[in-house]
Amino acid sequence: MFEVGQYIVKANTGVCRVVDITMYSRSEEEEERECYLLSPYSNENARLFVPVESDKSNMRPIMTKAEAMDLLKMVPQIHAAVIASEKVREQEYKDAIKSNDPVSLVSIIKNLNIRNREREEQGKKSTAVDERYLSMAQAALYPELATALGKEMAEMMNILSEMQEQWYL
């Protein structure tokens, strides 16, 4: 169980702060359930209610500062995701984001960056699907790193930008 004030990561939402643990129901007909009241990093004015007992929410504690530093050190050794065919490309992206696993996110980000570089070298633009999932993967990973390391998002983006060549290896 998470505690009020704790930062967590929720799949498809990203970093959230647990604002409260309260009873909630979506309608008068529905029985009240104990829920986390979450405030997403991406929109602090938004509020999400997630049942405490939900197994579908895919939430985990935010990585620690040491874990974030270790992940950044590991980036050169993390292989870009290998996508077997174009038919499964989007599903692979979805699965990585849904997994809520930082290593999977790095792998997908590397794959997408390599793919975009190759397309650029061929005089082609990146695809809308690639752009959408690159943005989603970055939105899932980068705020977590910033929060874990105690950095502002702009500062974290500068750090990651400086490391950019490592992300493509």
Side-chain angles (χ1 to χ4, degrees), residues 54-151:
S54 175
D55 59 346
K56 296 179 183 177
S57 63
N58 198 2
M59 296 186 302
R60 62 174 172 77
I62 194 168
M63 65 178 90
T64 65
K65 184 175 183 176
E67 290 168 337
M69 294 298 293
D70 288 346
L71 179 67
L72 291 175
K73 289 176 191 171
M74 275 181 26
V75 166
Q77 288 79 41
I78 297 172
H79 296 287
V82 176
I83 311 286
S85 74
E86 289 301 311
K87 290 181 180 181
V88 298
R89 178 169 295 284
E90 188 171 5
Q91 188 59 49
E92 293 281 337
Y93 296 161
K94 284 180 186 177
D95 291 346
I97 291 168
K98 188 177 179 182
S99 76
N100 201 10
D101 174 47
V103 173
S104 294
L105 293 171
V106 169
S107 182
I108 288 295
I109 291 169
K110 282 181 132 182
N111 171 282
L112 286 161
N113 283 317
I114 290 167
R115 181 171 156 86
N116 287 341
R117 270 191 175 179
E118 289 171 352
R119 291 183 65 83
E120 187 178 301
E121 289 169 3
Q122 296 169 0
K124 299 177 180 178
K125 293 182 178 181
S126 62
T127 68
V129 168
D130 287 355
E131 289 296 323
R132 184 171 70 244
Y133 284 98
L134 177 59
S135 177
M136 289 170 67
Q138 290 172 332
L141 180 63
Y142 294 2
E144 180 177 10
L145 288 170
T147 304
L149 295 172
K151 307 277 184 197

Side-chain angles (χ1 to χ4, degrees), residues 14-40:
V15 174
C16 297
R17 187 173 56 83
V18 178
V19 176
D20 197 5
I21 301 171
T22 186
M23 299 303 286
Y24 177 78
S25 70
R26 290 183 283 184
S27 67
E28 288 184 24
E29 294 82 38
E30 185 179 271
E31 186 176 328
E32 283 193 340
R33 298 175 4 182
E34 188 174 33
C35 292
Y36 295 112
L37 174 59
L38 304 177
S39 172

